[in-house]
Amino acid sequence: MKSKLLQLSLLSVLFISGCATPKVAYVDPNAVNSLNTNFSQNDLRTVAQEMAGQLIQSGKMNSCKSFTISPVKNATDQYVDTSVMTNAMADKLSNSSAVHSIYVVSSDEMGNQVDELSRQNQSGLYDQSSTSKMGKMKAAQCRIDGKLTSDTSVGVDGKTTLVAYTFFVQVFDVQQGAAIFRNSKNISKAMTY
Amino acid sequence: MKHKTLILSALITSLVGCANNPVSSYKSKTDARLNNIYSGNLGTAMEAESTTDVLFNMEYGSLLRMNQRYESSNLYFTRAQSSIDTWAASWANTTAGKVSTSATAMLLNDNVNDYEPRGYEKSFLTTYHALNHVDLDNLDNARIEIKRMYQIEQAIQNYNQYLYNQASADAQKQSKDKTEDYLTKQIVKNFDFKDVNSPEVLALKNSYQNAFGHYLAGFIFEALGEPSLARPGYVKAGQLNPTNKLIQQSITNIDKKVRPKTGYTDLLIVEETGHAPQIKSNEVHVPIDLNLVGTKNSCVNMINVFYPSLIIDKTNQATYSYTLDNSIVQPLPMVNTNLMAARAIKDNTSYIITRNVAAAVRNIATSQAACSTGGGLGTLLSVGTSVGGALLDRADERSWALLPGQININRQTLAYGTHTIKVVVNGVTYTKEIQLNKPYQILTFRVIGNQVLFNPQNSMLQN
């Protein structure tokens, strides 16, 4: 018992309140965060790029002269910024030499596009011979639609949590409403305490 | 051993004069503040300080918010947030982050530590910071605070896992030490934790996620036209508060892409009532017999057991119905801070037990040493150590008391123009005219004592 007081007294000068200065470093953006089962930025980019890769391989995109991407619906319970997925797919498809279809402005981007056209045509500030004209935008022949879902299950021991994510993508011919491509990509993450 | 007893007595005496005074009562401080607020003296309830004390900054930020001084409130909330950000960054991706509990706290008491906000207080700080930005008509900054909220929640989850692992290790260690095992059993027998073990408290998913914060996140993201982030806000709010029908309706509306028609406002009405519970330290003296665990000739036959209990605000009701353009609106309960505070104490039980055991071990060691000294000095030391121990053996009473006790919401779609809200408190009608001219707006009011404090309604959310 006496030694306990001595230990406590000695410990009293050894604060463990973390006096170290925080350090900042660049890290691998593709590094896997194995601490939780959340859908990470890396997961977002990976599934979107893989899906775009499969779409390119299918050759279906070349049946569309132009395409756009609708906002990916987030049906999980996590704060997932799905614009990262939309952008990753648009990047991969637009930069692929195997895809001849051109990317046209999406519904998310329409606000800024309309603002710019209005500024050029209605503000009175521009030489009208140099402005982009209203009513000349290219419409999308095909539309890519995506949805992210998740399903969480807990092991019988209560210590393991498994979250299964599914990224589902369809490509529609806008005029006909017909799906010309459908695919899904699954990711499962497990965490054990 | 005599000199160690003297060192402890000197340490106690010296720390009494410190900012983190181990024998001070935070409840007394908040009593005085609340009396001023109830009397309508918001300006004098607290005095401004330039301090890094996170609890002061949260309390004073709340007071300034009640007083509609949103920019000043943000200054104090930002100071409080900077203390928490360092902590949160250390726990963001690990279960081995920054621990603020010092060995001094174990030797003396928690008050010597800088205050570590409870999990729910950390998430409320971002929620109120976001609301201040909404009131200042800055949705982009509100969005930053909302994002911070769910990042901090992840850090809290990691930290709680660390605490759970630590508690398991402590319990194992204590069970192996005969004296500590005996003391633990005596201490637990004398805790009164009825309030924190109620079915309502146990029904909470956890102590740190507040349904209102997530609903507000959903609303702000919806107003910003980001349905993929708005939906999880509403979904998480629904997981935390499954009985609120408005939440499910909000999810349905997001799925159906329902937005206010041109010329109409989707108005979120936030009613805050009362204040969060204060914490009072309870101390009881418990007889012990160390001879039962093999300690010979022990002169110690008593230990102090201390534990926190909640003092719930009974001045205000949980909800107040109100009229909006003469139609009665019933607010829907969203968050009960009393339950969250109770759950935070319940989840902290193992640490409270460890603190009690450490205090008992300290008191037994110093008293035994004083007994061994003998004579007049021994008697004096014995009295000194027992008085010092009794002064120190207190539960931490600090908590963010100026948070509301209850948060209720409702949502109405109204045409642009002037509308009137009336709230009746203790027979007195408080009226506010509101101007609606944007698709999404938030009206917040706080009922505290006999007052209704409306926000100024300059929060005009963008399209």
Side-chain angles (χ1 to χ4, degrees), chain A residues 177-192:
Chain A
I180 60 171
F181 176 88
R182 288 164 64 94
N183 203 355
S184 58
K185 165 81 183 160
N186 299 314
I187 284 186
S188 289
K189 291 181 139 184
M191 182 170 64
T192 305

Side-chain angles (χ1 to χ4, degrees), chain A residues 1-2 4-6 8-9 11-12 14-18 22 33 35-36 38 72-82 191 193, chain B residues 1 4 93-94 98-99 101-104 107 150 154 157-158 161 177 179-180 214 217 228-229 231-233 235-236 239 255 361 365:
Chain A
M1 184 61 69
K2 288 177 183 177
K4 283 195 188 321
L5 178 66
L6 181 59
L8 284 167
S9 301
L11 276 171
S12 70
L14 300 173
F15 288 87
I16 50 174
S17 55
N33 177 353
L35 192 70
N36 60 55
N38 290 352
V72 173
K73 183 178 176 183
N74 174 16
T76 73
D77 63 353
Q78 291 172 35
Y79 291 95
V80 178
D81 187 350
T82 56
M191 182 170 64
Y193 285 114
Chain B
M1 183 51 80
K4 286 166 192 155
N93 292 307
T94 174
K98 185 181 171 208
V99 180
T101 304
S102 70
T104 313
L107 184 64
Y150 53 82
Q154 183 62 56
Q157 189 182 331
N158 293 340
Q161 186 56 43
D177 183 311
T179 307
E180 290 191 9
H214 285 283
S228 76
L229 290 168
R231 192 179 193 282
V235 170
K236 280 202 184 293
Q239 289 169 347
D255 287 344
V361 166

